[in-house]
Amino acid sequence: MKHGKKYTDSIKLVDKTKQYDLAEGCALCVDTAKAKFDETVELHVRLGVDSRHADQQVRGAVVLPHGTGKNVRVLVIAKGDNEKAALEAGADLVGAEEMIAKIQNDGFLDFDVLITTPDMMGLVGRLGRVLGPRGLMPNPKAGTVTPNVAQAVKEAKAGKIEYRLDKANIIHVPVGKASFGADKLAENISTVMDAIVKAKPAAAKGQYIRSAAIATTMGPGVKLNSAKFGA
């Protein structure tokens, strides 16, 4: 694959044989962000589990101390007092059956997070084929199916992210923007890694965190010293 000059310049900064400590790795990652826009920094963690087994799933959600740097569009599907509470908490869109119909019939997906109440899940569950592949399906483990929609909206707006294994047993999550600087990125990454370590399944054997790396949207990967994360 042929890369542009900016990527070629960035990759010269990274020693591919080295695993960087978190602070150094974050500083280096920021240095590789050479695009004209504020690049997102993503964390990629490979775990020593097998996602094909139900007792080895790793999934959850965590609020990043410095947020994601993204304006999160929140849709709440709820009724009555919960509808009012969601609006007061800052939800961008609120509705019930009419919103479900809009998603199902019109393909409306102009939101980043969908939060709903347990009593509405019977209806929202019908949207699984539309929402599931896009990672938008509400889930109690992620805190997006909850009777306390106001808190869920505030957390989503504050920078709550969901982490989950893909088929290759890797977790991919955004941890901020290059403009955050190394210190804020390191704090966000530490928060995510602590959550992943605490979510270690009892059935997991051997080394849990196999590898970890960070990268900007347009930059090369920077390997982190995964041994420092305590698992």
Side-chain angles (χ1 to χ4, degrees), residues 25-26 29-30 33 38-44 64 68 173-181 185 189 213-217:
C26 288
C29 192
V30 169
D38 191 7
E39 297 181 54
T40 296
V41 177
E42 283 200 351
L43 171 67
H44 309 274
L64 300 178
T68 62
V173 287
V175 289
K177 297 286 186 179
S179 62
F180 281 18
L185 287 171
I189 292 167
I214 50 176
T216 60
T217 306

Side-chain angles (χ1 to χ4, degrees), residues 21-33 181-183 185-186 214 222:
D21 285 341
L22 183 56
E24 186 182 6
C26 288
L28 179 57
C29 192
V30 169
D31 288 342
T32 68
D183 291 345
L185 287 171
I214 50 176
V222 176

Side-chain angles (χ1 to χ4, degrees), residues 44-109:
H44 309 274
V45 186
R46 186 165 65 92
L47 299 182
V49 296
D50 189 341
S51 61
R52 293 174 298 178
H53 299 290
D55 61 354
Q56 294 187 46
Q57 288 293 325
V58 179
R59 181 175 186 175
V62 63
V63 178
L64 300 178
H66 301 289
T68 62
K70 178 182 178 182
N71 179 30
V72 180
R73 298 164 299 171
V74 179
L75 164 62
V76 175
I77 293 180
K79 288 183 175 181
D81 291 342
N82 285 318
E83 186 175 0
K84 182 181 177 183
L87 285 169
E88 290 176 350
D92 300 275
L93 296 161
V94 180
E97 286 89 351
E98 76 284 358
M99 190 60 70
I100 292 171
K102 191 174 181 180
I103 295 170
Q104 193 165 36
N105 301 329
D106 303 335
F108 177 75
L109 292 168

Side-chain angles (χ1 to χ4, degrees), residues 14 19 41 65 67 70-72 87-88 115-116 120 123 126 138 144 154 168-169 173 190 207 226 228:
V14 181
Q19 292 187 346
V41 177
K70 178 182 178 182
N71 179 30
V72 180
L87 285 169
E88 290 176 350
I115 295 166
T116 190
M120 294 298 292
L123 296 174
R126 299 174 189 173
T144 46
K154 290 174 183 176
N169 304 313
V173 287
S190 291
Q207 186 179 356
S226 55
K228 295 290 180 91

Side-chain angles (χ1 to χ4, degrees), residues 89-175:
D92 300 275
L93 296 161
V94 180
E97 286 89 351
E98 76 284 358
M99 190 60 70
I100 292 171
K102 191 174 181 180
I103 295 170
Q104 193 165 36
N105 301 329
D106 303 335
F108 177 75
L109 292 168
D110 194 18
F111 52 90
D112 302 301
V113 177
L114 195 162
I115 295 166
T116 190
T117 49
D119 62 298
M120 294 298 292
M121 268 307 289
L123 296 174
V124 175
R126 299 174 189 173
L127 302 173
R129 288 185 179 180
V130 179
L131 301 176
R134 295 167 176 81
L136 294 170
M137 191 68 186
N139 185 283
K141 289 184 178 179
T144 46
V145 179
T146 173
N148 191 345
V149 291
Q151 181 182 346
V153 170
K154 290 174 183 176
E155 288 179 347
K157 288 287 188 179
K160 186 175 187 177
I161 59 164
E162 183 180 356
Y163 59 87
R164 60 190 298 182
L165 284 175
D166 66 9
K167 291 180 180 179
N169 304 313
I170 300 172
I171 289 173
H172 311 270
V173 287
V175 289

